[in-house]
Amino acid sequence: MSSTTGLLATRRLILQGAASVALIGLGNLPFGAARAAANDKYPEEAFKQKSEADAIKALYGKTAEPSDKIKLDAPEIAENGGVVPISVTTTLEKVTSISFFVAENPNALAASYKIPDGTVPSVANRLKMAKTTNVVAIVEADGKLFSATKEVKVTVGGCGG
Amino acid sequence: MASTIRVRATANGDITEVQALIQHPMDSGFVKDAKGELIPAHFIQELKFEYNGKDVFVADWGPAVSKDPYVKFSFKGAKKGDDLKISWTDNKGASDTTTAKIS
Amino acid sequence: MSTTMIGMRSLALVLLLAVAAAPARAATEADYKVAYAAAEAASKEAADLRNQWTTTVSTLAAAKKAGDSGDFDRAVAAAKEAEALAKASIFQATSEKDAWKAMEIR
Amino acid sequence: MEARSAIWLGSALAALAALAFTAPHVIAADKIDTATEAKAFQNFFFQKFPNVKHEDFVNGPYSMNEDMKRQWQEKEEFPPYEFALDAGKEMFATPFKNGKTYADCFPNGGIGIRQNYPYFDEKEGKVVTLELALNRCREANGEAPYSYVKDEMASLTAYMAFTSRGKLMDIKIPDDPRALEAYENGKRYFYTRRGQMNFSCASCHVQSPGERIRAEVLAPALGIMNALPIYRSEWSGMGTTTRRLMTCNSQTRAVPLEPQSDEYRDVEYFLSYVANGLPISGPGARP
């Protein structure tokens, strides 16, 4: 069939857009005014990296080793690639940072959280995933990096239209 | 206009659980609109939670955080009735802030 | 009401669609006009039955686009396909007048 | 000769009609019948899914799949339709230019009445849905009607649904042959195959609820109206009943009808009636 028109085309475009994020060379993201916060700088470099290994190195400057003290909670099949509920909790001590990476997103680093003293080392959030891939949670505890990984299946819904 | 930040902070014992839902498009810069043009990147980059002058939680976000972003965490040392200040800034320099009462 | 029945029924419809009269010689504008008019009439009848298919609309539009750009071979093929789709949706509307009861929960 | 054959033809037709009318299996035009049909409809689902609690059917796919239910419950802690709810509440409180508000158009100020919609309007002889009543209220007060598929209408119906949460669906079919005809027309639309995919609503929502169409799990037809309007992650936005019906059409490659056309109003009437007794759960959050 030839190209579609009208409502259907719009739905298809948005559907494709929302579900499969096209791999487009990363133009320089227009960064706004200087951040108000003095000390913590927005990890611009890390967010620009493609692979999660590079992003982890850019963010923390060291590599992580898997740990079973981190519980990464993510659905087996994502209800929708645009809104994937992912949470992590850990029994590790002296946690200072928790970050989430979606391996095959255009940029692996999705979100990074600073955990000051007195804050419970556990975060829940909703992330976008371009396609079926590994979600990696990184916990920085007492200066060392630990990781937990889980694959989440992502596909579009509906019978095609 | 009502604030873009919805917060629910509930203290039980020494631990206060905080949930936040923020109204923001979180455009990744990779999605095309109906006419086929790229919607420019527009997403919250930093979200901060402060309790009596001290940061208790700071989020650095990229474009892969969902539209109308949601986050949940807990922290110790606060009690009912205290204030929790929440503020965000996005990559276009826009920002919003609000103060919630811990219930 | 089993799934095989759905399979058979849509199979029948797909067969009906496989109407592709390949014109022996290159199509002319006149061929296109005739084919397009027939497709448009069938599409209108389907719309009047309030059972138009989205693929009929898009294929008809493609036929017009090809016709306007002078590619009459493609235009006639698309017009014939649009007509076949429209006819299939008319067949569907008329046959469903009673066929729907088969699925009704009693 | 002319007159005699006409008379003969007339009486034959009359006899035929009489026969059809009294024939036992013909659906008699009284109300009781729709009640038994609704019972049969509900029992079909209660027997097909014996371990699903009856009131759970209104949660659509989440009544069918544990993993999806967990994702949903997490989202329900702070649901994405929260903004639509607040917007709807604000719109309800903001008077029109002429000083009136939506509360003046609806019984009980529009609060806790969603379970009675759609209703059959005997003056008009047609089904009136909540979305239609809202736009008629706007027009009666000199305001432009809202689109039936955009956020404003979704916010209003989200707020009205929210005020009825937990109340049981209570749709009436008055003793009026036109009401029965509307119910029948809705039922016919529900079971009629359309689109190049050749599916009817029942193909998905009666024959295969709980099964997947790619990432989505299909909702059962029973209680499917109770959760509307819905925030869909796929649309990353609110969806009114009209938007949901129209997108279902285009998914089967059927060209959608115009919003609030008779078929849509009647199918909503039929589906709401057969869900009588099940709680309102709107606004809902769906994949």
Side-chain angles (χ1 to χ4, degrees), chain B residues 6-102:
Chain B
R6 297 279 186 291
V7 188
R8 225 174 272 157
T10 42
N12 26 46
D14 186 29
I15 296 195
T16 302
E17 186 187 76
V18 181
Q19 289 181 84
L21 187 74
I22 301 165
Q23 194 163 15
H24 196 282
M26 298 302 280
D27 292 322
S28 64
F30 296 116
V31 176
K32 292 201 184 88
D33 63 17
K35 287 185 295 304
E37 282 129 36
L38 269 180
I39 301 168
H42 179 209
F43 56 90
I44 290 175
Q45 291 186 313
E46 191 191 70
L47 168 69
K48 267 176 14 136
F49 293 79
E50 264 173 73
Y51 170 67
N52 65 39
K54 189 171 78 58
D55 285 350
V56 285
F57 191 71
V58 177
D60 292 327
W61 278 346
V65 174
S66 300
K67 175 178 188 280
D68 297 339
Y70 165 84
V71 72
K72 178 166 84 170
F73 70 97
S74 305
F75 71 101
K76 300 194 186 97
K79 52 187 177 347
K80 271 192 190 19
D82 291 354
D83 280 348
L84 181 66
K85 180 164 169 286
I86 304 101
S87 54
W88 61 259
T89 48
D90 68 19
N91 66 326
K92 288 190 175 153
S95 68
D96 192 5
T97 181
T98 191
T99 305
K101 270 270 181 292
I102 298 174

Side-chain angles (χ1 to χ4, degrees), chain D residues 205-266:
Chain D
H205 299 293
V206 170
Q207 291 190 323
S208 10
E211 285 164 41
R212 275 187 188 276
I213 39 173
R214 299 190 286 181
E216 273 160 35
V217 171
L218 290 169
L222 180 58
I224 205 164
M225 287 289 156
N226 298 44
L228 289 166
I230 45 173
Y231 179 97
R232 287 202 68 214
S233 307
E234 180 163 334
W235 300 334
S236 65
M238 286 303 290
T240 58
T241 304
T242 303
R243 181 177 184 180
R244 179 64 275 185
L245 292 173
M246 291 173 85
T247 41
C248 258
N249 284 157
S250 35
Q251 285 212 33
T252 63
R253 295 186 179 170
V255 169
L257 305 171
E258 35 330 327
Q260 296 302 321
S261 57
D262 286 352
E263 290 91 333
Y264 285 160
R265 288 157 72 171
D266 292 347

Side-chain angles (χ1 to χ4, degrees), chain C residues 13-22 76-77 79-85 87:
Chain C
L13 277 177
V14 166
L15 288 179
L16 199 70
L17 297 190
V19 169
V76 168
K80 286 230 174 309
E81 196 185 328
E83 185 187 357
L85 286 167
K87 287 239 157 55

Side-chain angles (χ1 to χ4, degrees), chain D residues 14 16 38 41 49 59 83 100 106 134 141 170 181 201 208 211 227 232 241 247 255 262:
Chain D
L16 196 65
F41 193 91
F49 302 98
N59 298 326
F83 299 111
K100 287 232 175 57
F106 290 93
L134 280 162
N141 288 289
D170 178 19
E181 179 37 40
C201 315
S208 10
E211 285 164 41
R232 287 202 68 214
T241 304
T247 41
V255 169
D262 286 352

